[in-house]
Amino acid sequence: WYQRRVHKQWYQRRVHKQWYQRRVHKQWYQRRVHKQWYQRRVHGHTRPVAFMPYRVNGQYIMEGLASSFMFSLGGAGMIILDQTHNPSTPKLNRMMLQFVGFAAMVISFGCCWVFMRMKLPGYMQS
């Protein structure tokens, strides 16, 4: 009788310890994910964040994808502008190629500039 009671108490403590460890780990993981992907406002409200501010060497996945797409868009604009030197292209097509290439480069430069301002607020501000 005594051994069964001791075993029952031991088992209850063990089950409670496992439950508590799972609960603590879950809370820790939720806090970690919450810190990474959400920014807390002054009043306690949170909002999703795509850019990791104040860290040049650290970035989130969406930030990396967006910036790499913008750099690729700028490179594609340069390639399109290079295609305008072909003498066999008609004038209308050449003008369209110049417009599209220049627009791609300007959009890429503007977005990368905005990304950098989001990354380091106040950088190069006089």
Side-chain angles (χ1 to χ4, degrees), residues 84-104:
T84 60
H85 295 297
N86 191 0
S88 64
T89 56
K91 187 172 183 177
L92 179 65
N93 289 358
R94 184 175 297 156
M95 298 272 290
M96 284 193 305
L97 284 174
Q98 287 174 347
F99 175 73
V100 168
F102 188 71

Side-chain angles (χ1 to χ4, degrees), residues 7-100:
H7 179 70
K8 184 178 179 184
Q9 290 173 350
W10 172 82
Y11 185 73
Q12 287 173 345
R13 280 194 304 258
R14 181 171 168 248
V15 169
H16 179 71
K17 183 179 178 184
Q18 289 174 348
W19 171 82
Y20 184 73
Q21 286 174 344
R22 282 195 306 265
R23 187 173 137 247
V24 168
H25 178 71
K26 183 179 178 185
Q27 288 174 347
W28 171 81
Y29 185 72
Q30 286 173 346
R31 270 186 271 137
R32 183 167 182 248
V33 169
H34 186 77
K35 281 182 184 177
Q36 262 186 343
W37 291 97
Y38 292 93
Q39 184 179 29
R40 187 169 292 282
R41 289 292 183 84
V42 177
H43 300 293
H45 303 295
T46 57
R47 68 182 175 123
V49 175
F51 285 82
M52 186 183 292
Y54 303 109
R55 290 200 49 203
V56 180
N57 295 335
Q59 66 184 11
Y60 293 135
I61 294 172
M62 285 307 296
E63 176 183 354
L65 290 173
S67 61
S68 65
F69 175 74
M70 286 301 143
F71 278 107
S72 300
L73 184 67
M78 289 184 185
I79 292 171
I80 290 172
L81 281 177
D82 186 50
Q83 296 298 319
T84 60
H85 295 297
N86 191 0
S88 64
T89 56
K91 187 172 183 177
L92 179 65
N93 289 358
R94 184 175 297 156
M95 298 272 290
M96 284 193 305
L97 284 174
Q98 287 174 347
F99 175 73
V100 168

